Amino acid sequence: MTLYEKIKQLYPSLTDKDFMTVITLQNDSDGKGDYIKSWEHPTLPRPTDEELA
Amino acid sequence: MASIITATTTSGLTQSADNSGVLQLASGTGNLVTVPSVTGTAMVSGNMPAFSAYMSASQSISSATWTKAQLNTEVFDTNSNFDPTTNYRFTPTVEGYYQINAGIYCSNLTDYDAQGSVAIYKNGSIYHRATLNFGGEGSKFNDFLTAVSGVIYLNGSSDYIELYGRITAVGTPQIVGGTTSDSFMNGCLIRRA
């Protein structure tokens, strides 16, 4: 399951627009995988590492 | 004031000199070119950095995730400023304003709703981007290319640019590579700072 899918599962109310505007996921093609570059959602808290494990 | 070399219509080349340290070239009609006073070599066509790179193979990415395109194949790199092996980035060693063009070929889209974006990153952050959205019955596309361009100032030492793509779609979308007509980035110096 990708990081995007884990976050969507955790917060089903998130929309694709949210991921374009207030949440930025990134992968620098350096072998370290996907990560949350920025989380600026006005109401939902940034998921913890435990929640995304 | 300036020292001026003029190509006349009656006497061939003439020259006038002073101690200003400024050199100008002129034609018989009075057009002037002032040779700039710079540290190092004044830029002329031939030593202005230019590069073009693309991906040799397609790259699977996670949906809705900005992913750096692995531009591992150079078409040309006149000043050896592009890194096609580790960071896939252009770090010019000449300061100035660069025309940059980039495209992300989005593919393997399996749903009616899909979004594809391309971004030129400067120093790790989005600088220019473009997005195409497709949604609803009858709008299904298996692939499309989204492109962006811009003029970007780069300081000639630490500034760098990279190409990122982002696709939101069901399944495992791909950034297509293989030829220069797939995902690419190119650019050149258009003006010294």
Side-chain angles (χ1 to χ4, degrees):
Chain A
M1 184 180 289
T2 67
L3 177 62
Y4 167 72
E5 291 167 340
K6 289 178 181 177
I7 293 173
K8 286 282 284 183
Q9 188 176 65
L10 188 63
Y11 296 129
S13 63
L14 288 174
T15 65
D16 289 341
K17 184 178 180 182
D18 291 325
F19 284 93
M20 195 65 182
T21 54
V22 294
I23 299 168
T24 301
L25 307 183
Q26 190 159 304
N27 185 319
D28 296 322
S29 296
D30 55 3
K32 296 178 181 177
D34 303 341
Y35 65 96
I36 299 174
K37 183 174 185 184
S38 66
W39 185 282
E40 299 172 356
H41 196 281
T43 57
L44 300 175
R46 180 179 180 132
T48 64
D49 291 341
E50 290 73 24
E51 290 173 319
L52 296 174
Chain B
M1 299 300 290
S3 296
I4 303 174
I5 299 173
T6 303
T8 70
T9 57
T10 56
S11 305
L13 284 179
T14 64
Q15 64 180 38
S16 63
D18 65 13
N19 295 322
S20 65
V22 176
L23 174 61
Q24 291 182 329
L25 305 176
S27 71
T29 56
N31 296 326
L32 289 177
V33 173
T34 300
V35 178
S37 175
V38 298
T39 300
T41 304
M43 299 299 295
V44 295
S45 178
N47 61 352
M48 301 168 73
F51 77 100
S52 178
Y54 66 98
M55 297 164 51
S56 66
S58 297
Q59 183 177 346
S60 294
I61 67 173
S62 300
S63 182
T65 302
W66 284 107
T67 303
K68 187 193 293 187
Q70 296 175 315
L71 299 167
N72 59 0
T73 305
E74 294 179 338
V75 182
F76 54 82
D77 181 14
T78 64
N79 206 39
S80 300
N81 289 154
F82 189 82
D83 170 7
T85 57
T86 305
N87 292 311
Y88 314 107
R89 67 177 55 155
F90 177 61
T91 311
T93 52
V94 178
E95 180 188 21
Y97 299 91
Y98 287 79
Q99 170 72 46
I100 304 296
N101 315 294
I104 287 287
Y105 196 140
C106 309
S107 185
N108 210 29
L109 314 174
T110 58
D111 197 7
Y112 286 103
D113 296 312
Q115 180 185 73
S117 300
V118 55
I120 299 169
Y121 273 49
K122 178 182 177 183
N123 300 334
S125 299
I126 292 175
Y127 195 80
H128 287 311
R129 73 176 176 184
T131 296
L132 285 176
N133 284 294
F134 296 100
E137 291 288 333
S139 64
K140 182 177 179 180
F141 288 83
N142 185 61
D143 52 29
F144 55 84
L145 186 141
T146 178
V148 68
S149 64
V151 176
I152 302 174
Y153 167 79
L154 299 170
N155 66 11
S157 56
S158 59
D159 284 348
Y160 61 91
I161 58 167
E162 301 163 309
L163 172 64
Y164 276 72
R166 178 186 184 278
I167 304 170
T168 300
V170 174
T172 305
Q174 281 188 339
I175 298 174
V176 178
T179 74
T180 56
S181 65
D182 298 319
S183 301
F184 70 93
M185 183 163 68
N186 57 48
C188 64
L189 176 65
I190 58 172
R191 190 187 193 285
R192 281 294 302 264

